[in-house]
Amino acid sequence: MTVIDISPSVMQFLLAFIVVAPLLGAVAALLPAPPGLRGRNPDQAVLRHGVTVTGAVLIAAIVLAVGFDHDHPATMQATTDISWIPALGVRIHLGIDGISLPLLLLTALLTFLCALYSYFKLPAGPSPKAFTALVLVLESGTLATFAVLDLLLFFLAFEMVLIPMYFLIARWGGDQRRAAAWKFILYTLLGSVVMLLGLLLIGLKSGTFDMVALATDNGRGLTTSVQVIAVLAIGIGLAVKTPMWPLHSWLPDAHTAAPTVGSVLLAGVLLKMGTYGFVRILLPIAPDGMRTFAPYLAAFAVVGIVYGSLACLALARNGAKGDLKRLIAYSSVGHMGFVLLGIATMTPTGVNGALFANIAHGLITGLLFFLVGAIKNRYGTADLDTLAGATGAALYGRAPRLGALLAFAAVASLGLPGLAGFWGEMLTLFGAYSPAEGLSRPAFRTFMAIGAFGTLLTAAYMLIVVRRVCMGEHTPHSQLSPDDRTPPPADGPGRPTAAGSPPQLADIQTYEAAAWTPLAALTVLAGLWPAILLGLTDPAVQKLLAGGKS
C-alpha cells in the first residue's frame, strides 16, 4: 500500500536528490548571496539558505515516505544501480527499505530543526557561511550512509561526516573544544581504518561489494574464519561510532564541548550510523562471525548500560559539579547499550527493539540536548550544582514551560510506558530472554537481568536531575545575599516578580517551540502507536535474518 502512487523514476530521483542536495547546498552556501536574497545582512542570508536546503530535503524525504510501498517494506525501493569504478566493481547503488527509511526521515528532520534553531540562535564562532556549509555536508554524509548499498560507498559516506563534525566542535564549541575535537577525530579515524580492512576482506573474498547480493548470499560464500575476522574488524569501527563501552570515552568530551546543534546531530544521527552498520552489514553478511561474537557484544552492551547509568548518578549527586551536557552524553552510552544488546540477540524481536530504540533515542536525546543548550544559554552554565542551588534554575517557578518539557524528555528517556523510549528497551529485553539458536540462553537471560537493572538506574538519575534542576532549592529570596538574588540569564534580564519569589526568566521562545515541538510530538506518537515503526522494520528484519528470503 502506498499513500500516493509515485512512479519508480520519481522515487529514484527523490532519493538521489535527498543525498546530493545538501552537498550542492553546502557549495552554494560558500558563494556570495544574490542581491535579491541577502536580507538584512549576508549572515542572515546564508542561515536562511541552510533552512531552505534542509527544509527541501525534509519535504523530499516525506514525499519519499509517502510514496513508499508499505505493503512490501522488506523490498529495496527507489533503487539506483549504475557502474562507478568498473575495475574495482564499485557501483553507485542506492535504495531504501523499512530499516533505512525511518533513519533517513530522522536525519532529515533533525538537521532541518537544527538549521531552524541556528537561524535564530547561531553559536558563537567564526563565519556563518562555514557553519552552514559544514552542517549541510554532515547531513549529506549521514543520509548517504543510510541510502547506499555498496560497501565502499558506505565507508566513504561513513567517513564523510567526520571532518564537518570535527570543525563544528573545534570552531564553534565551548571550553576544551580543541582537545575534544582531536579526541573525536582520532578515535573515529582509527576505528575506521580497521573497519576498512574488514570491508575489503569481505569484498575481495566474496567477489562483490554489493550489500544486497551479500545479504542474499547470507555468508555462504565466506568461510567461518573470514567471517570472524571481518566481524572483529568491522565491529571495532562500528563500535567506536556507536559508542560501545569501553570505546566510548571520546563521546562525553565531544558532547560537553560541542555547540547545541552539534550535540543534537551527534546524538541523534551520528551514533545511529554505527548500530545501522551492525544491522545492515554484519548480521546478514557474516552471520557465523556475528554468532561467535554475539555473547561478547551483549556483555559489553550491558556493562555499558550499567556504567553509563552509574556515571550519570555520580554526576547528578550534590557537590559533584557535574555538567548537565556530560550527563546526557553518558546516558547515551547506556541507551546505545540497549541497542547493541538487541542486535546481539540476533532475533527479530531483539533487532526490531534495537531499531526502535535507535529512533527513540534520536528523538528524545535530541530534545534533551536542545533543552540543556537553552538552559545553558539562559544561565551561562550547565553545571548541575549551580543549576540546582538556591540561585539556580528552579525551572518550574521561573520558566514553567521549559521545566515541564525538560521533565517530559527526562521521563521519556527513562522509558515511561506510553512514550517512545519504552518499546525499544522492552523489546530488546524480550529478545535477550530468548536469543537466537546457538546462543547461550542462561548467559543472555543474565544479560537481560542486568539490562533491566540498568533501567532502574536510568530512572534514578533522570528523576534526580528533574528534581534538582526543575524544583531547585526553596531558600526564601529575602535570605539570599545581594550577589545571589539575580542570576545571569544569557537571553535577557529576569522579569520582576513579587518579593520573596525568584526572578522570572524567558520561557520557551517561539523559535524554540518550533524546533522542539516535532520531537516531543513524535515521541508521544511512537509511544502510543509503535506499529508506525515496527510495521516498517519487522518484515525487513525478518528477511535480513533469513538470508534475503521473505
Side-chain angles (χ1 to χ4, degrees):
M1 180 194 71
T2 57
V3 180
I4 298 176
D5 191 16
I6 300 176
S7 69
S9 58
V10 174
M11 293 285 283
Q12 287 178 340
F13 170 78
L14 285 172
L15 184 57
F17 173 82
I18 288 168
V19 172
V20 175
L23 204 56
L24 299 177
V27 175
L30 299 176
L31 301 175
L37 299 177
R38 287 177 184 168
R40 292 192 301 269
N41 57 65
D43 291 350
Q44 185 198 42
V46 74
L47 293 172
R48 186 172 58 240
H49 168 79
V51 175
T52 303
V53 174
T54 56
V57 171
L58 176 59
I59 291 171
I62 293 172
V63 174
L64 188 72
V66 169
F68 187 82
D69 185 355
H70 292 262
D71 285 338
H72 302 91
T75 303
M76 284 293 172
Q77 302 178 34
T79 54
T80 298
D81 189 6
I82 56 177
S83 179
W84 184 37
I85 308 176
L88 298 178
V90 180
R91 306 182 68 82
I92 297 178
H93 192 183
L94 305 177
I96 54 166
D97 62 358
I99 292 172
S100 51
L101 180 61
L103 290 166
L104 209 71
L105 288 167
L106 177 68
T107 301
L109 174 65
L110 282 176
T111 313
F112 170 70
L113 297 180
C114 286
L116 181 65
Y117 185 83
S118 300
Y119 180 79
F120 295 95
K121 195 72 180 177
L122 183 69
S127 166
K129 280 190 172 188
F131 176 84
T132 302
L134 289 169
V135 169
L136 290 173
V137 172
L138 185 68
E139 180 182 31
S140 182
T142 49
L143 290 169
T145 301
F146 302 133
V148 298
L149 297 173
D150 183 276
L151 288 179
L152 291 185
L153 278 184
F154 175 86
F155 177 77
L156 293 176
F158 199 85
E159 296 304 289
M160 184 177 167
V161 305
L162 300 184
I163 299 304
M165 182 53 73
Y166 167 81
F167 281 109
L168 285 175
I169 297 172
R171 302 301 299 275
W172 284 270
D175 297 337
Q176 305 297 319
R177 58 183 182 270
R178 294 190 183 279
W182 273 111
K183 196 170 185 180
F184 162 77
I185 200 74
L186 288 176
Y187 264 77
T188 50
L189 279 178
L190 288 174
S192 297
V193 169
V194 181
M195 183 176 75
L196 177 60
L197 297 177
L199 294 174
L200 291 174
L201 177 65
I202 287 177
L204 295 175
K205 289 293 184 180
S206 63
T208 180
F209 290 100
D210 186 89
M211 292 159 67
V212 176
L214 287 166
T216 304
D217 188 62
N218 201 221
R220 287 181 285 271
L222 300 171
T223 64
T224 300
S225 59
V226 168
Q227 290 190 38
V228 168
I229 296 170
V231 169
L232 180 61
I234 298 171
I236 289 173
L238 297 174
V240 170
K241 187 68 71 72
T242 298
M244 181 185 77
W245 181 91
L247 304 174
H248 69 283
S249 61
W250 62 269
L251 184 72
D253 292 339
H255 269 308
T256 304
T260 297
V261 295
S263 292
V264 171
L265 293 174
L266 183 58
V269 177
L270 265 69
L271 302 191
K272 312 300 173 281
M273 295 165 62
T275 51
Y276 174 77
F278 275 104
V279 174
R280 177 64 74 196
I281 298 174
L282 294 185
L283 278 177
I285 295 176
D288 293 338
M290 272 297 292
R291 199 168 286 108
T292 299
F293 284 106
Y296 304 102
L297 180 62
F300 284 129
V302 295
V303 171
I305 292 170
V306 175
Y307 170 83
S309 299
L310 292 176
C312 289
L313 281 171
L315 290 169
R317 65 184 174 83
N318 190 26
K321 305 296 289 182
D323 186 283
L324 196 49
K325 289 186 71 176
R326 195 174 189 86
L327 184 147
I328 303 301
Y330 273 111
S331 78
S332 291
V333 176
H335 287 305
M336 298 312 289
F338 279 103
V339 178
L340 291 173
L341 176 60
I343 294 169
T345 67
M346 299 184 70
T347 62
T349 301
V351 176
N352 275 305
L355 294 171
F356 200 105
N358 246 351
I359 301 298
H361 178 265
L363 296 171
I364 297 167
T365 307
L367 178 58
L368 278 169
F369 275 116
F370 267 134
L371 293 167
V372 173
I375 292 170
K376 187 172 183 178
N377 286 334
R378 285 159 169 76
Y379 287 90
T381 181
D383 177 73
L384 192 55
D385 284 338
T386 302
L387 295 174
T391 60
L395 289 182
Y396 287 155
R398 300 183 186 182
R401 287 188 291 275
L402 183 60
L405 193 55
L406 178 63
F408 166 83
V411 297
S413 183
L414 63 84
L416 185 74
L419 298 175
F422 170 74
W423 295 105
E425 294 181 0
M426 185 192 72
L427 289 171
T428 57
L429 294 177
F430 279 172
Y433 182 81
S434 183
E437 186 178 350
L439 299 178
S440 169
R441 185 163 292 188
F444 272 82
R445 289 185 176 176
T446 302
F447 298 147
M448 181 197 72
I450 297 172
F453 176 66
T455 62
L456 301 178
L457 296 177
T458 303
Y461 71 74
M462 277 299 178
L463 293 176
I464 290 172
V465 168
V466 170
R467 177 179 61 80
R468 299 191 71 200
V469 176
C470 294
M471 299 178 186
E473 302 288 346
H474 295 288
T475 305
H477 190 248
S478 57
Q479 295 180 15
L480 301 178
S481 66
D483 291 338
D484 289 340
R485 290 180 183 177
T486 305
D491 283 357
R495 298 190 297 272
T497 58
S501 63
Q504 296 295 305
L505 294 176
D507 211 333
I508 296 178
Q509 304 296 295
T510 303
Y511 72 92
E512 293 173 330
W516 305 343
T517 301
L519 300 179
L522 288 171
T523 298
V524 175
L525 179 63
L528 295 178
W529 190 20
I532 198 171
L533 274 177
L534 294 176
L536 285 171
T537 61
D538 185 52
V541 167
Q542 298 274 3
K543 181 177 180 179
L544 208 67
L545 294 177
K549 301 172 184 175
S550 300

